[in-house]
Amino acid sequence: MAKVLMKGNEAIGEAAVRAGGIYYFAYPITPQSEVGEYLAKRLPEVGGVFVQAESEVGVGNMIFGAAASGKRVFTTSSSPGISLMQEAISYIAGANLPAVFINIMRGGPGLGGILPAQSDYFQSVKGGGHGDYRLMVLAPSTVQEAVDLVMLAFDMAQKYRGPVMVIGDGMIGQMMEAVEFPDEFKKPVDPRTLDWPTTGCEGRPHRIIKSLHLDPEALEINSLELAKKYERMKAEEVRYELYKVSDKNQILIVSYGTMARICQTVIDELEDEGVSVGLLRPISLFPFPEKEIHAEGIKDNIKTVLSVEMSTGQMIEDIEKAMMGKKPVDFYGRTGGIVPSPEEVKDKIMKILKK
């Protein structure tokens, strides 16, 4: 299929449709409301359903119920809206149900502002809800990658029977870029061929899907099975990208999403000035590329590992854990909707190198 110019939010909606995600529940919130506006027109064309709930609390529970049918279900929202869904996300994880949550982040805490931020790293990666569960979290840096990762998220949700989250800052949702979709629409697995969904029990025993286990041993078994699932993700689903990483680098930047693109500009400009810096961009925030960051960061040529974020410093904690004290870890970030400029990041790097 030829490339088309699309706004990020609209491309995310189309990607979900192409992945077979045609059951959509949402409540409008800036900066992602265009997803719902796009799908309100698009889903009827493909036999899908869009239900606008009375609030994000309602959305989360609609997703919970619909996911039990085995259909590909999803929602999009922005930071405060995702906060209101945390109880349902925990229930969905505990009940082992596949669902996709897309968070186009805005500044916080509280209602914050509508400008781009990466302040929901803790919320998404550390689990905003209660209990022993994790989310697979994917972070695109371009609109095309948002398309690719949204489609991947549906496959991952079904593969691991659990919620998967895609997070992007407001720039991903609002910018326009050329994107390409696969020619063929994804045909999801027929839920009637699976052994767990509630598809109607005519001719077979009924199935009960729940996250309530009053027997402590049964609850422990469920939690241990979830833990095995997350270990399997760590073994099989770590995703990252290297940019101009070499044995000449003095600094290793770790940055994700659109912030990583700004860091690429910094790296290019510093290269022209004779300063070698490399970038490791986590694409999966959980599972986090710990081993890969450690392997690059401990090399003799690396003076400091620098975390660059649109927050006051959240991912840096995972970078510090990955480095295990083997090399200094530094931080630069802006928040509140302020995006660090290439000049600011360059100044930070030059200050590190002059220490």
Side-chain angles (χ1 to χ4, degrees):
M1 179 179 176
K3 287 189 175 182
V4 292
L5 185 64
M6 293 187 78
K7 178 181 272 194
N9 282 333
E10 295 175 346
I12 286 169
E14 182 63 26
V17 170
R18 303 272 176 155
I22 59 172
Y23 301 97
Y24 175 65
F25 308 85
Y27 186 82
I29 179 172
T30 306
Q32 64 77 49
S33 296
E34 293 93 344
V35 183
E37 293 171 1
Y38 179 82
L39 290 175
K41 296 178 182 177
R42 183 72 171 108
L43 285 175
E45 298 174 355
V46 293
V49 174
F50 170 21
V51 178
Q52 179 176 318
E54 73 279 13
S55 73
E56 288 90 345
V57 175
V59 168
N61 287 287
M62 287 179 178
I63 293 282
F64 185 18
S69 71
K71 299 288 187 180
R72 291 194 160 193
V73 302
F74 77 109
T75 188
T76 60
S77 189
S78 185
S79 309
I82 294 292
S83 295
L84 289 170
M85 299 179 194
Q86 293 303 322
E87 181 186 49
I89 292 174
S90 175
Y91 287 10
I92 291 167
N96 292 284
L97 294 177
V100 173
F101 294 79
I102 300 167
N103 181 5
I104 302 300
M105 296 179 286
R106 52 192 265 178
L111 286 175
I114 62 173
L115 295 176
Q118 294 179 325
S119 302
D120 297 350
Y121 182 90
F122 283 156
Q123 180 195 56
S124 55
V125 172
K126 305 302 180 184
H130 58 282
D132 284 328
Y133 81 93
R134 305 295 295 264
L135 294 176
M136 180 183 290
V137 183
L138 306 171
S141 68
T142 66
V143 176
Q144 180 65 60
E145 193 174 43
V147 167
D148 297 339
L149 293 184
V150 165
M151 299 185 75
L152 175 68
F154 283 97
D155 291 339
M156 291 293 102
Q158 290 211 312
K159 178 179 179 179
Y160 292 98
R161 277 185 59 189
V164 174
M165 184 168 286
V166 179
I167 65 172
D169 61 74
M171 283 188 284
I172 285 286
Q174 294 299 319
M175 74 170 71
M176 294 187 75
E177 290 186 320
V179 295
E180 186 172 15
F181 298 96
D183 291 328
E184 300 292 330
F185 281 47
K186 187 85 173 183
K187 290 185 177 179
V189 175
D190 185 344
R192 293 170 297 183
T193 65
L194 303 174
D195 62 0
W196 59 268
T198 53
T199 56
C201 63
E202 185 176 357
R204 62 163 174 78
H206 66 275
R207 297 165 180 163
I208 297 176
I209 292 177
K210 61 178 184 177
S211 65
L212 177 65
H213 302 280
L214 295 178
D215 179 351
E217 292 189 358
L219 178 57
E220 183 182 53
I221 289 171
N222 192 57
S223 295
L224 291 175
E225 289 300 317
L226 288 175
K228 287 181 185 176
K229 187 189 304 187
Y230 306 140
E231 289 304 313
R232 185 181 167 204
M233 290 180 188
K234 290 179 182 178
E236 299 179 9
E237 309 298 347
V238 172
R239 290 174 168 81
Y240 65 99
E241 181 184 65
L242 298 176
Y243 183 75
K244 294 192 175 178
V245 169
S246 75
D247 58 9
K248 297 179 180 178
N249 295 155
Q250 299 177 71
I251 302 283
L252 176 67
I253 295 176
V254 181
S255 187
Y256 70 97
T258 53
M259 192 62 242
R261 296 174 68 172
I262 294 170
C263 291
Q264 289 180 352
T265 298
V266 172
I267 290 167
D268 292 343
E269 291 180 359
L270 285 175
E271 186 178 44
D272 292 339
E273 298 171 19
V275 179
S276 179
V277 176
L279 167 72
L280 190 152
R281 178 173 69 89
I283 297 172
S284 59
L285 301 183
F286 181 84
F288 193 67
E290 285 186 4
K291 294 178 182 175
E292 292 76 10
I293 290 172
H294 183 85
E296 294 297 335
I298 63 169
K299 290 180 177 176
D300 292 340
N301 52 291
I302 297 297
K303 183 174 182 179
T304 298
V305 179
L306 176 64
S307 179
V308 184
E309 308 173 44
M310 286 189 276
S311 74
T312 56
Q314 298 191 16
M315 183 177 68
I316 186 175
E317 293 189 6
D318 285 333
I319 297 170
E320 289 173 332
K321 177 171 176 281
M323 291 311 302
M324 298 186 291
K326 299 294 185 183
K327 285 289 179 70
V329 177
D330 211 327
F331 172 77
Y332 186 77
R334 300 290 301 272
T335 190
I338 299 173
V339 179
S341 68
E343 291 74 22
E344 291 172 354
V345 179
K346 283 174 65 176
D347 287 346
K348 176 66 180 180
I349 290 171
M350 296 313 294
K351 286 178 182 175
I352 292 172
L353 293 177
K354 289 176 181 175
K355 283 182 180 177

